Amino acid sequence: MATILVTGGAGYVGSHAVRELGRQGLHPLTFDNLSEGHREAVLSGKFVQGDLADETALDQVFASHSIDAVMHYASRCYVGESMEDPQLYYEQNLGNLLALLGCMRRHQVRKLVFSSSCAVYGDPTRIPIDEEHPLDPVNPYGETKYFIERMLRHYDRAYGMRFVSLRYFNACGASLDGRIGESHQPETHLIPRILQVARQEEGQLPIYGDDYPTPDGTCIRDYIHVLDLASAHLAAYKWLSEGNPSQVLNLGTGDGYSVRQVIDGAARITGRKIPSQVFPRRAGDPPQLVCAAGKVRRLLGWAPRHSSLEIILETAWKWECGRRY
Ligand code: UDP
């Protein structure tokens, strides 16, 4: 029985992919150290608690299962934290990936779906951002994703290890039934923070800057529903399984929403008031990140199904109101 190893399968994006893999009759095996992830979020397949830094444990997983491919989600993913503690990012994101690739080589596993990020582009020089846009990450988080993409090209050339690197834009939303969703500690992301203000009916949402060169002065992002991210990973796995070559693909919708548009949308969906207060700009926030989404649609035949602002906010609200972890 061919298994798909999902590192970070207990995390926000990974857990939605694990569930989707199970639904499609595939066999996910989650490997997660639970530093950020949640055991309750793993709703399909086998779970092994382990750390990628523990190569013996990882080797054991490869030795005792027939692993066909790896989906690699386990990663530190906070821009601010990466600026404060770059070594943590180089050690964990790069070091752990090296260990994983070593294991994959030893056990002849040659298909990898990798979670990359639009942070590889740095401050964009043109919008929408296509895959040919220059790569110039402006923080250690983005740099680790950039270095890894470069490494993967060499692993492909030298060892025949094929990969699809998916450069996520802003992941958001939750499962349709409200069972799994986003739970970070502390929460820094816009949509959960807005909904926490709405639910608690107290406090104010900080708007980080309203003097950007955008129509309403607040930052514009390309929000993509986590279920659409999950289905893109499955499509990428299928792409590799059919023998196709390695690819680097943007994963977004191509539509941008400003911070104020998201707040207004959330007020509509929740029926609550969402008081806000303008603060200075947050360091490292580009005014606008919106992707050119044509390549992934063309190559993988994938299209977002849940990424309207309405569905994103409805599912995130359902999750927020009935949180299980
Ligand atoms: N943002 C905000 N207030 C918050 C959290 C985020 O104004 O409490 C803004 C942030 O400055 C950025 C956008 O919302 O322009 C999206 O931020 P998020 O942290 O969700 O994702 P990022 O784009 O940083 O990956």
Side-chain angles (χ1 to χ4, degrees):
M1 183 172 77
T3 296
I4 299 176
L5 177 67
V6 185
T7 71
Y12 172 44
V13 185
S15 60
H16 287 82
V18 162
R19 196 178 189 193
E20 194 53 30
L21 284 165
R23 283 196 171 130
Q24 299 295 327
L26 296 159
H27 301 282
L29 188 169
T30 293
F31 187 81
D32 196 302
N33 65 5
L34 298 183
S35 66
E36 300 271 335
H38 305 271
R39 178 65 185 88
E40 311 90 293
V42 183
L43 298 181
S44 188
K46 202 170 158 183
F47 173 78
V48 176
Q49 183 167 356
D51 200 304
L52 288 171
D54 180 355
E55 240 178 296
T56 316
L58 192 58
D59 227 32
Q60 182 61 34
V61 167
F62 276 85
S64 50
H65 298 86
S66 158
I67 294 177
D68 181 45
V70 176
M71 291 189 180
H72 180 53
Y73 294 92
S75 154
R76 300 210 67 89
C77 58
Y78 296 106
V79 167
E81 184 184 57
S82 80
M83 294 294 280
E84 279 158 30
D85 192 357
Q87 181 162 343
L88 184 70
Y89 276 68
Y90 298 127
E91 239 165 44
Q92 294 204 0
N93 290 5
L94 293 180
N96 290 349
L97 183 89
L98 269 177
L100 176 64
L101 292 176
C103 267
M104 288 177 69
R105 281 189 66 205
R106 279 196 294 286
H107 296 274
Q108 279 120 44
V109 178
R110 296 204 181 88
K111 297 194 274 285
L112 174 69
V113 184
F114 173 64
S115 304
S116 185
S117 163
C118 61
V120 296
Y121 298 113
D123 292 331
T125 55
R126 58 171 191 262
I127 298 286
I129 305 169
D130 58 41
E131 288 84 353
E132 306 311 315
H133 184 287
L135 303 179
D136 189 13
V138 292
N139 50 61
Y141 165 67
E143 274 175 7
T144 61
K145 300 290 183 185
Y146 167 76
F147 293 147
I148 289 170
E149 286 189 354
R150 299 200 63 126
M151 283 161 57
L152 292 179
R153 288 183 210 281
H154 290 295
Y155 274 68
D156 183 348
R157 182 189 50 74
Y159 312 128
M161 191 183 284
R162 286 173 304 121
F163 67 91
V164 175
S165 181
L166 297 171
R167 293 178 177 161
Y168 304 175
F169 281 65
N170 286 58
C172 53
S175 67
L176 302 181
D177 61 3
R179 263 189 91 179
I180 53 176
E182 189 164 10
S183 178
H184 297 117
Q185 213 36 270
E187 188 54 73
T188 62
H189 291 124
L190 179 67
I191 290 177
R193 285 181 78 164
I194 291 176
L195 297 178
Q196 283 161 17
V197 171
R199 187 169 56 88
Q200 288 155 9
E201 298 189 79
E202 61 176 34
Q204 291 187 322
L205 180 90
I207 295 178
Y208 298 131
D210 69 348
D211 55 353
Y212 284 98
T214 60
D216 68 17
T218 63
C219 286
I220 293 176
R221 294 289 179 271
D222 185 330
Y223 293 93
I224 174 156
H225 198 287
V226 67
L227 288 174
D228 290 329
L229 288 179
S231 69
H233 282 74
L234 267 78
Y237 168 65
K238 185 161 170 271
W239 169 267
L240 292 173
S241 297
E242 287 167 351
N244 293 305
S246 296
Q247 290 292 343
V248 174
L249 303 170
N250 280 342
L251 213 44
T253 64
D255 295 322
Y257 294 97
S258 73
V259 172
R260 282 205 194 279
Q261 284 176 315
V262 179
I263 298 173
D264 292 347
R268 258 195 326 274
I269 300 285
T270 62
R272 307 263 175 104
K273 283 203 163 43
I274 300 167
S276 60
Q277 192 183 347
V278 176
F279 280 79
R281 294 179 179 196
R282 195 171 68 174
D285 275 343
Q288 216 181 131
L289 291 172
V290 178
C291 84
K295 190 175 171 192
V296 62
R297 292 176 190 231
R298 210 168 47 248
L299 284 185
L300 302 189
W302 168 92
R305 289 176 51 218
H306 305 286
S307 293
S308 67
L309 191 56
E310 205 168 37
I311 297 179
I312 287 170
L313 291 168
E314 275 169 7
T315 54
W317 181 233
K318 186 170 182 177
W319 160 251
E320 186 59 44
C321 293
R323 261 172 186 279
R324 295 167 188 239
Y325 50 86

